[in-house]
Amino acid sequence: MPELPEVETTRRGISPHVIGHRIERVIIRQRNLRWPISRRLQQSLPGQTVCCVGRRGKYLLLTTAAGTAILHLGMSGSLRIIDAATPAATHEHVDIVLDNGRCLRFKDPRRFGALLWTTRSPAAHWLLSELGPEPLSTGFTGECLYAQSRGRRLAIKSFLMDSKIVAGVGNIYANEALFLAGIHPQRAAGRVSRDRYERLAQAVRAVLRASIREGGTTLRDFINGEGKPGYFRQLLNVYGKTGDPCPHCGQPIRERRIGQRSSFFCPTCQH
DNA sequence: AGAGGTACCTGGCAGC
DNA sequence: TGCTGCCAGGTACCTC
């Protein structure tokens, strides 16, 4: 489900309900996510006040004076703020109960998500320490893409989805950004010019910003902190559009598997 | 070192 | 209607 815009939408949605509130308790119905939720987290969070809800790539960071909860939504995860008394439905694995009678409820049918605890700087955590630049920060440039791609033969789409290269770009937005930049997804990363990488960096920024503005993309079940879907799906150019006319030239959009992921492109506009 | 494949898990859908 | 196989927004880890 969630790529950077969906995680950012979630962050913005939950922040006002969580920041400044004390955590009363943590209810865990299913401990076995991608990694088991630690007893340490369950013991450490109660009594703490959330001072900040941050994001790094697709990771959400709930910061307290005692440490930081690192949360990843995996493929199917969502978070919402609801009344703490609401009975839990299936796959609603964790409640972080707040002092205002509400709770942050984590649902994740496929359990590819994660909830970890660190007492150190989250940036030093092994999950985050290798991440590339934030795509909406000034550290993300066409030049850095160009420099890291020299000599690499893998498909540029797989390169763009590598979190060590840039954080938070998943399958939907990699497809969309490559379309906007006019680059064929299967082109070898090392055979794209500096100028075209500059266009690609701009396209990544543009598509992520536009999606955040629309509250993210809901394909099936993404909801924000208020339980509402995102509307960027209506603005997708190529993702999931096999056979539809290209918005630029009218040629049918093609689909191909690249790196085990469905990829969509216009055979005329992208090369 | 880089590239590619596998595994984790559940649910929805197409096709028979 | 019910079964089977395939697909899905991610990413760590394995092998070649």
Side-chain angles (χ1 to χ4, degrees):
Chain A
M1 165 191 50
E3 301 184 35
L4 188 150
E6 292 73 42
V7 178
E8 177 63 17
T9 296
T10 299
R11 188 191 72 75
R12 294 180 185 185
I14 67 170
S15 286
H17 304 282
V18 169
I19 291 174
H21 286 282
R22 208 175 71 97
I23 293 165
E24 306 235 299
R25 58 205 178 104
V26 176
I27 300 168
I28 298 173
R29 301 182 195 85
Q30 169 60 271
R31 191 174 291 278
N32 296 316
L33 304 183
R34 176 166 203 137
W35 298 281
I37 300 171
S38 70
R39 312 261 170 201
R40 180 72 60 87
L41 176 135
Q42 202 169 8
Q43 289 160 0
S44 304
L45 271 182
Q48 292 297 312
T49 297
V50 179
C51 59
C52 173
V53 182
R55 179 187 59 73
R56 177 75 173 97
K58 298 171 191 164
Y59 295 90
L60 274 173
L61 308 170
L62 303 183
T63 304
T64 74
T68 301
I70 301 174
L71 197 142
H72 195 289
L73 299 175
M75 286 279 262
S76 58
S78 58
L79 273 179
R80 61 186 302 192
I81 298 284
I82 55 166
D83 191 305
T86 310
T90 44
H91 306 307
E92 294 187 337
H93 306 313
V94 182
D95 282 358
I96 296 177
V97 183
L98 304 166
D99 61 3
N100 57 0
R102 309 234 260 176
C103 77
L104 188 58
R105 183 164 288 178
F106 179 45
K107 174 179 179 177
D108 185 9
R110 291 177 73 181
R111 288 193 270 129
F112 288 170
L115 178 56
L116 302 172
W117 176 248
T118 182
T119 54
R120 297 190 301 156
S121 160
H125 191 272
W126 61 276
L127 276 173
L128 308 190
S129 61
E130 302 287 304
L131 290 179
E134 278 297 312
L136 297 178
S137 76
T138 53
F140 175 64
T141 61
E143 181 59 35
C144 78
L145 290 177
Y146 176 77
Q148 295 197 83
S149 64
R150 292 309 86 189
R152 299 202 56 180
R153 295 183 199 182
L154 87 166
I156 187 164
K157 175 162 175 278
S158 303
F159 175 74
L160 193 58
M161 290 175 67
D162 181 346
S163 65
K164 296 193 188 76
I165 301 301
V166 55
V169 179
N171 201 30
I172 295 178
Y173 302 108
N175 277 298
E176 293 295 315
L178 287 164
F179 172 77
L180 290 182
I183 301 171
H184 194 291
Q186 204 148 46
R187 172 168 282 273
R191 299 191 53 191
V192 173
S193 70
R194 189 182 254 115
D195 280 359
R196 299 185 82 204
Y197 269 119
E198 194 47 59
R199 285 194 62 193
L200 180 58
Q202 285 175 26
V204 167
R205 284 190 287 266
V207 74
L208 295 179
R209 284 207 185 101
S211 181
I212 291 169
R213 204 179 306 130
E214 298 296 323
T217 301
T218 296
L219 293 179
R220 170 171 296 156
D221 51 13
F222 171 72
I223 52 164
N224 64 21
E226 274 94 40
K228 294 178 184 153
Y231 300 104
F232 190 69
R233 185 177 189 175
Q234 295 157 336
L235 301 179
L236 295 173
N237 285 302
V238 291
Y239 185 88
K241 304 277 186 186
T242 313
D244 288 4
C246 166
H248 287 173
C249 75
Q251 283 293 305
I253 298 300
R254 292 218 187 128
E255 177 174 359
R256 185 178 297 180
R257 286 190 86 73
I258 299 173
Q260 284 81 245
R261 309 302 298 274
S262 292
S263 307
F264 307 88
F265 61 97
C266 172
T268 307
C269 298
Q270 295 176 252
H271 50 269

